Amino acid sequence: MTAQALLRRATGLSVSKSVAERAVNQRMEQTGFTDSAAYLQALTPAEMTQLIELVVVPESWLFRDPQAFYATVELVQERWARGRATRILSIPCAGGEEPYSMAMALRDGGVPKQAFSIDAYDLSPGCIERAQAGVYGRNAFRAQDVAFRERYFTHVADDAYRIIDALREQVTFRQGNLLQFDTASYSKHYDVIFCRNLLIYFDKPTTRAAIQNLSALLADDGMLLAGYAEVPSFCQNGFAPLQFRQAFALKKDSTPPAAVIQAAPLPALRTLRSVPPAPGRAIPPATSIAQTVPRTRPVSVPSPAPAAQADLLAEVRLLADRGQLREAGDKCHAHLATVPEAAEAYFMLGIINELAGKMDLADDYWRRCIYLQPDHYEALCHLALLAERNGNHTAAATLKARAARIYERRQASN
């Protein structure tokens, strides 16, 4: 079995071949192996943990996407007013930035510590160790307003700060994998679940399995906070949006499928009330981003019948899911030869190149997609994530704001 397949079986993550091979080569250098087949044959559970550490993406920061925290503050306040405590889960929790941000937001909102509990899980033992230590450097403080650092952190080195013990004690950290979670023991246990920017690393079957576990863990009247690029996947698998502006909050959808189509339009999205004036709440205004495509649009040509295009794209997605990237790409290019304005084909080419680890090409195809279809939600989300990974936080915030407005308009018109 290849390193890519072994990592996928152990974690559920869709790791590219180049990333898997780079991790194996690094571990071979550290363990003295010279042959990759021999290394994989001798792989122990402890060594697999070390290999996984090299492919997980623990990047996060405090008060990342802050509206999700303020939506949760409102929910906890309302439940506590009725005498109910709230159980919160953060999975994956990376280095603890998300659950600690939740604890700080609740403290800023005047919520007593007995009103909530926070459990936090991550696949990576290294992440859990860092989270339990609660020490963060400069990159963790990227919010527009970092006044919370003065309230809740102690300066321990030049660029290092440790969160105060009173907040560390509010969070219970454990190593764990969502796909292997004991959902029977924790059935409907959590009132709020943060699961943001995890599903983007899964294929469709693994995404469905992960969402099924999250649904089992979430109380029937609970709230789930997703990453902005993941909302469509949740809505396709038993969840429905809640009206919290730019929080990307969802609930279990108990509406029968036949009734969903005839559902009444959603009310206007409401602004959060009873929200503490905590840091990082402002959403950056949208600004223009230069496109890496020609300024002149191609000449319009007749589009294919919707059914034919849907069949083509379904075939492309199936090929990509199977790892047949060359065949999937060939079909997209053949389609574009006859329909040069097919934005969805450019989007799929972006996905195909992302799976192949060719991120520059993926970026180019997604930009072509939104040039042709400026309201293409999924392409904007992927571009925002890519900009964020590349450290271009201004572009990421702009793209994210565009995606959020499109998402809100769609929900308001459904």
Side-chain angles (χ1 to χ4, degrees):
M1 188 177 291
T2 65
Q4 190 178 15
L6 284 169
L7 285 164
R8 188 171 192 166
R9 186 174 69 178
T11 66
L13 300 177
S14 296
V15 179
S16 70
K17 182 179 179 182
S18 60
V19 168
E21 290 178 348
R22 185 165 56 247
V24 167
N25 290 336
Q26 188 172 338
R27 286 304 300 166
M28 286 171 58
E29 290 178 6
Q30 295 170 353
T31 56
F33 280 87
T34 56
D35 179 72
S36 60
Y39 168 79
L40 294 175
Q41 185 67 31
L43 204 61
T44 64
E47 180 58 27
M48 174 59 82
T49 298
Q50 295 298 318
L51 191 62
I52 291 170
E53 287 286 315
L54 298 177
V55 300
V56 295
V57 185
E59 173 76 1
S60 191
W61 57 91
L62 296 156
F63 285 99
R64 180 183 186 180
D65 300 325
Q67 293 299 331
F69 301 112
Y70 306 133
T72 305
V73 169
E74 179 171 328
L75 181 145
V76 175
Q77 288 172 331
E78 291 176 351
R79 291 187 179 223
W80 187 242
R82 302 196 305 269
R84 293 179 58 186
T86 302
R87 290 178 290 207
I88 301 170
L89 172 65
S90 170
I91 185 169
C93 67
E97 295 89 345
E98 182 175 83
Y100 284 141
S101 296
M102 191 66 258
M104 286 186 279
L106 289 164
R107 176 73 67 93
D108 284 338
V111 178
K113 64 181 182 179
Q114 64 268 30
F116 66 95
S117 62
I118 303 176
D119 291 339
Y121 288 79
D122 199 274
L123 178 68
S124 163
C127 284
I128 294 300
E129 184 178 347
R130 290 192 296 274
Q132 290 172 330
V135 177
Y136 299 98
R138 180 188 309 167
N139 286 340
F141 300 95
R142 303 184 199 174
Q144 288 186 322
D145 179 1
V146 295
F148 65 90
R149 189 169 62 191
E150 300 301 318
R151 297 195 298 275
Y152 299 122
F153 288 82
T154 302
H155 186 220
V156 293
D158 288 344
D159 286 320
Y161 298 81
R162 178 183 288 115
I163 197 161
I164 60 174
D165 290 343
L167 287 182
R168 283 203 303 162
E169 293 167 358
Q170 287 289 117
V171 184
T172 301
F173 290 101
R174 299 185 182 94
Q175 192 272 335
N177 185 338
L178 173 60
L179 298 172
Q180 300 167 1
F181 210 99
D182 183 4
T183 54
S185 298
Y186 288 85
S187 176
K188 303 181 182 181
H189 182 78
Y190 292 103
D191 305 292
V192 177
I193 296 179
F194 282 80
C195 186
R196 305 191 296 173
N197 304 319
L198 173 64
L199 304 187
I200 56 175
Y201 301 106
F202 291 160
D203 60 17
K204 287 189 176 180
T206 310
T207 293
R208 286 193 293 270
I211 293 175
Q212 184 177 10
N213 280 6
L214 290 166
S215 181
L217 294 169
L218 185 66
D220 288 338
D221 61 347
M223 178 174 70
L224 186 143
L225 288 310
Y228 48 89
E230 299 164 327
V231 171
S233 294
F234 279 102
C235 290
Q236 292 164 6
N237 289 279
F239 281 80
L242 286 168
Q243 281 77 64
F244 286 106
R245 188 177 298 277
Q246 294 185 331
F248 304 102
L250 301 120
K251 65 176 181 178
K252 290 184 182 181
D253 187 2
S254 59
T255 308
V260 172
I261 300 173
Q262 303 175 5
L266 291 171
L269 293 172
R270 62 192 176 97
T271 303
L272 297 180
R273 55 186 173 76
S274 304
V275 174
R281 186 177 173 188
I283 299 297
T287 57
S288 62
I289 294 181
Q291 305 294 330
T292 57
V293 291
R295 291 182 178 275
T296 303
R297 288 182 180 271
V299 176
S300 291
V301 296
S303 296
Q309 180 158 307
D311 289 343
L312 171 80
L313 295 173
E315 187 177 358
V316 169
R317 288 180 184 274
L318 181 62
L319 288 169
D321 284 344
R322 290 174 175 172
Q324 296 174 257
L325 303 185
R326 182 185 296 276
E327 294 87 344
D330 288 346
K331 285 193 174 291
C332 286
H333 285 297
H335 184 60
L336 287 167
T338 58
V339 190
E341 288 194 340
E344 194 66 25
Y346 280 117
F347 172 70
M348 286 306 304
L349 282 170
I351 295 293
I352 291 163
N353 280 277
E354 180 186 40
L355 291 170
K358 300 176 181 178
M359 303 312 298
D360 288 344
L361 280 174
D363 178 87
D364 179 65
Y365 283 124
W366 287 327
R367 288 186 182 278
R368 289 174 187 270
C369 174
I370 63 171
Y371 172 73
L372 293 167
Q373 186 180 331
D375 65 346
H376 197 291
Y377 173 77
E378 291 82 3
L380 287 166
C381 289
H382 280 277
L383 282 169
L385 288 166
L386 184 56
E388 199 166 76
R389 291 177 204 164
N390 291 337
N392 191 344
H393 303 299
T394 300
T398 301
L399 289 160
K400 190 186 303 183
R402 285 178 61 182
R405 289 196 298 273
I406 291 164
Y407 173 73
E408 290 170 1
R409 285 201 300 270
R410 288 182 181 178
Q411 295 308 314
S413 63
N414 284 343

